[in-house]
Amino acid sequence: MTPAPPSATTRDKAGSGRLVWAAIAVTVVLWASAFVGIRAAAADYSPGALTLGRIAVGTLTLALMLPATRALGRRRSTPQAAAPGTRFPRGRLLALILIWGVAWFGAYNVALNAAEQHIDAGTAALLVNLAPMIVAVLAGLFLGEGFPRRLITGMFIALIGVLFIAVSTSTGKFDSLGVILGLVAAVLYGSAATLQKSLLRQVDAPTMTWIGCLAGTIACLPFTPQLLQALGSAPLSSTLAVVYLGIFPTAIAFTTWGYVLSRSSAGRTAASTYAVPAVVVLLSWLLLGEVPPAAALFGGALALAGVAVATLRWRRRS
């Protein structure tokens, strides 16, 4: 008996699923590349100057992208999952988006950049990767996502993998202020991602991302003297790294992150970012010639396995 051809709805769902996974891949790779970019610029740009330069470039890029990304979002919406309103948010919704933007684009980046001046990158990566667990807990408590066993199990497996990466790449640079700043960054990350998921029910992701990045830029304007001083003295390579951070890991990656978050649970979306440390190890190997220790490779494989357990939906055979 010849099987019936897939319906238009089934084809739309399959196409949407492929786009979600493509967006996850773009987000993970670009966020991983940010660690290389930050290392390239950190010697010449202070944490505040680096943050302001990065998100200022990101805000301009997002403004240029906004018409196209909003049109694409409307085209990809379906009657079963209508897109949120695309009118400019007002009142309480706008206030919450502004708070989210200051926390996510401004405070988080300043805290992370400052933390990496006190602790090594491995320890910072371990602390920041507590954030997906925070997202899972907050989403379970406040967004009604519950605590799926496979999600929590996969997150623990991935976190153990990150622990292997952190220990094997640690340089011993450590102090209590750096740990506190790293934990602050993780809490800001987890809280902002959970709030974003809630707000995406009322506003489209491209508009929210642009407004948030603009709010973070305005909040970081006190760092303007530091940024101008760095622009005058930094080598071109460091300045180009800041521009790269603004266009790719900020404008493009946060757009794809918002796309995924608007179409998947907060817990599963956050769990996918456990792949970032593994990709960082690979990029450092390929671009910087830093041969990773065996424990880092094992940790990367474990982190990717944990992401698979947490995010992939296994099909049952009928």
Side-chain angles (χ1 to χ4, degrees):
M1 184 174 180
T2 304
S7 65
T9 301
T10 302
R11 289 195 298 270
D12 288 343
K13 288 182 177 180
S16 177
R18 287 192 292 269
L19 281 174
V20 167
W21 281 110
I24 289 175
V26 170
T27 304
V28 167
V29 171
L30 291 183
W31 278 0
S33 73
F35 285 87
V36 179
I38 290 171
R39 287 182 57 185
D44 302 294
Y45 285 83
S46 66
L50 178 56
T51 298
L52 176 58
R54 172 179 177 173
I55 61 178
V57 173
T59 298
L60 177 59
T61 306
L62 285 165
L64 297 175
M65 293 169 51
L66 190 59
T69 51
R70 291 181 70 178
L72 180 61
R74 287 194 296 268
R75 189 184 311 164
R76 289 293 176 181
S77 63
T78 64
Q80 292 78 14
T86 54
R87 289 186 296 181
F88 195 86
R90 294 177 174 83
R92 179 177 179 273
L93 176 60
L94 177 58
L96 289 173
I97 293 174
L98 294 176
I99 293 171
W100 167 78
V102 172
W104 189 222
F105 290 96
Y108 165 77
N109 279 300
V110 172
L112 179 60
N113 293 339
E116 292 201 35
Q117 293 192 343
H118 296 271
I119 55 179
D120 59 65
T123 305
L126 178 60
L127 293 172
V128 170
N129 275 278
L130 295 174
M133 298 296 291
I134 295 173
V135 173
V137 172
L138 293 177
L141 292 174
F142 300 111
L143 301 182
E145 294 185 5
F147 300 93
R149 183 179 302 174
R150 284 185 55 246
L151 174 64
I152 301 302
T153 301
M155 282 190 161
F156 271 117
I157 295 172
L159 187 59
I160 293 172
V162 173
L163 177 61
F164 272 95
I165 295 173
V167 171
S168 62
T169 58
S170 175
T171 61
K173 186 179 180 182
F174 176 91
D175 65 37
S176 57
L177 178 58
V179 171
I180 292 172
L181 289 169
L183 290 174
V184 168
V187 171
L188 287 169
Y189 173 169
S191 303
T194 307
L195 177 60
Q196 183 181 9
K197 175 62 179 178
S198 176
L199 297 179
L200 283 173
R201 299 167 181 169
Q202 306 171 67
V203 62
D204 62 289
T207 300
M208 181 178 177
T209 304
W210 173 68
I211 295 174
C213 197
L214 177 61
T217 301
I218 294 172
C220 289
L221 285 178
F223 297 115
T224 300
Q226 298 179 25
L227 176 60
L228 293 176
Q229 182 180 3
L231 286 171
S233 60
L236 179 62
S237 59
S238 294
T239 301
L240 289 177
V242 175
V243 173
Y244 171 85
L245 289 168
I247 295 174
F248 294 96
T250 302
I252 294 177
F254 273 92
T255 297
T256 52
W257 162 270
Y259 177 86
V260 175
L261 192 60
S262 65
R263 288 159 173 79
S264 182
S265 71
R268 291 182 70 214
T269 304
S272 67
T273 63
Y274 273 122
V276 169
V279 179
V280 171
V281 170
L282 180 61
L283 290 178
S284 298
W285 191 358
L286 296 177
L287 301 179
L288 302 178
E290 298 177 349
V291 179
L297 294 176
F298 174 75
L302 201 59
L304 293 176
V307 170
V309 171
T311 61
L312 293 180
R313 293 175 177 174
W314 307 109
R315 295 181 178 178
R316 296 181 179 179
R317 291 184 178 180
S318 59

